[in-house]
Every structure is written in C-alpha cells, then in structure tokens.
C-alpha cells in the first residue's frame, strides 16, 4: 500500500504554486531581456573608441536590482543569446558573433556578471525603507557596474585595440559620469517598482 501511495504521489502534477513561480520567473526574465534589447537599440552617443554610450547598462543593472542576482543574470544571458544568434538587438542594431570582435565585446560579456553582482549587493534593500533603500540600490548598481562591466570593458579595450592598461582606463573613464546617472535612475525606477509591486522585493532571487 505504501509503494502504491508513493507511486501515485510521484505521478501527480507539481503544485500550482510551484508552476506559478516558474511561470512568473520565465515571464520576468523574458520581459527584462526584451527591455535590455530596447534600451540597446535606441540611438546612442558615438565615442572615439567605437563603443557608443547607450542605455544598455541602465537596463542591465535594473534587471539585477529588481529581479535579484540569479534571475537578473538569466535575463541578460537570454538577451546575449538572442543577440549572438543573429537578431540585431545589440547597440547600433547589430547582432551575431561578429560583435565579439568589436572593442565593446568586453563590456557586453561582462553584463551578466554586472546584473548578478548588483542583484546580490541589493539584497539589504528588503530590510531598508525610504531614502535608505534607494541608497542601497544605487550603491549596489554602482559597485556592480564598476567591478564587473567596467573591468570587463577595460580588458576588452586592451585586447581588441591593443592598448596598455593606462590607455584603456582613459577611454573607460569617459563612461563613468553617464553610468553614475544611469545607476541613480535605475535605483529610482527599482524603488518605484517595489512600491507598486511589493512582491518583487520580497521574491528577489
């Protein structure tokens, strides 16, 4: 009787809560991947390095802040997978593996790590309120981008443009003021989303 009961239980469908959670995760990951694509293909500001200033980093960091480290990274990985498969959703409406030969390759490949680190560092936001919560989110975004996206970008510039460290850093510094603004905006948007949808903050993962 015990074996029959066990076999019957094993054959039952997963609980509705579990199915709902998976469905929600897929929907959120897909939505933020699409949002990153939209921000990427919006007209950017050209620079002498060949790496334009776009809203990509805003969307990448926002994904981590809102979704958490795992789902945020998965959203960015989905975006990269679609773009590398050939869909023109990278900056300047480009796509395909050819983008990995460009000076921007280091920034692009570091995006999932940026979203993951920002999401991880933003964890204390759940225990903060008001301006303190915005500060946690903003700090998480800044450190998440500085320690991953900018580091990856500098390495990419050194490899693709055959530059020394100093020259690559000098190019990367151009992007810092804009990134500070984008991180502040990402923190503000995340804070607004958490106020409107408290479950997003409670269920970050």
């Amino acid at each position: 009787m015990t074996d029959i009961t066990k076999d019957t239980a094993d054959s039952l469908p997963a609980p509705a809560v579990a199915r709902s959670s998976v469905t929600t995760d897929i929907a959120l990951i897909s939505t933020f991947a699409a949002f990153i694509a939209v921000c990427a293909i919006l007209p950017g500001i050209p620079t002498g390095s060949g790496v334009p200033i776009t809203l990509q980093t805003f969307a990448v960091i926002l994904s981590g802040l809102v979704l958490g480290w795992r789902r945020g990274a998965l959203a960015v990985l989905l975006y990269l997978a679609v773009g590398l498969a050939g869909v023109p959703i990278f900056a300047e409406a480009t796509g395909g593996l050819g983008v990995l030969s460009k000076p921007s390759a280091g920034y692009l490949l570091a995006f999932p790590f940026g979203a993951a680190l920002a999401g991880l560092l933003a964890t204390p936001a759940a225990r903060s309120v008001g301006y303190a919560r915005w500060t946690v989110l903003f700090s998480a975004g800044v450190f998440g981008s500085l320690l991953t996206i900018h580091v990856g970008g500098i390495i990419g510039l050194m490899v693709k443009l055959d530059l020394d460290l100093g020259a690559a850093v000098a190019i990367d510094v151009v992007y810092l003021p804009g990134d500070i603004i984008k991180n502040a905006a990402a923190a503000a948007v995340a804070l607004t989303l958490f106020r409107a949808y408290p479950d997003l903050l409670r269920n970050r993962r």
Side-chain angles (χ1 to χ4, degrees):
M1 180 65 70
T2 301
D3 290 340
I4 294 176
T5 303
K6 182 178 183 299
D7 290 341
T8 303
D10 289 343
S11 65
L12 292 175
V17 174
R19 288 201 301 271
S20 176
S21 178
V22 171
T23 302
T24 300
D25 286 350
I26 292 173
L28 287 172
I29 290 168
S30 301
T31 299
F32 274 82
F35 180 65
I36 297 170
V38 170
C39 288
I41 61 179
L42 289 174
I45 302 173
T47 65
S49 67
V51 183
I53 298 174
T54 71
L55 288 176
Q56 272 180 302
T57 49
F58 163 77
V60 167
I61 294 301
L62 182 64
S63 298
L65 296 181
V66 173
L67 301 183
W69 74 270
R70 182 176 63 88
R71 294 187 302 189
L74 287 174
V76 182
L77 286 171
L78 176 59
Y79 160 72
L80 290 180
V82 173
L84 292 175
V87 181
I89 55 173
F90 294 142
E92 300 176 320
T94 57
L97 294 176
V99 299
L100 298 180
S101 65
K102 296 184 176 183
S104 60
Y107 292 101
L108 203 61
L109 295 177
F111 280 166
F113 300 99
L117 184 56
L120 188 63
L121 294 176
T123 301
R127 301 187 298 275
S128 306
V129 294
Y131 182 73
R133 177 172 291 171
W134 179 88
T135 302
V136 170
L137 295 170
F138 172 66
S139 300
V142 169
F143 284 105
S145 60
L146 283 178
L147 297 178
T148 58
I149 298 173
H150 283 271
V151 171
I154 290 170
I155 294 172
L157 291 171
M158 292 173 65
V159 172
K160 300 301 180 181
L161 299 180
D162 194 24
L163 301 174
D164 60 27
L165 178 60
V169 170
I171 291 175
D172 180 76
V173 167
V174 173
Y175 305 108
L176 287 178
D179 270 8
I180 296 298
I181 295 172
K182 285 182 279 189
N183 279 307
V189 172
L191 189 62
T192 300
L193 288 173
F194 292 149
R195 285 172 177 166
Y197 306 100
D199 283 347
L200 281 176
L201 183 60
R202 288 193 291 265
N203 298 322
R204 292 172 70 261
R205 54 184 182 274

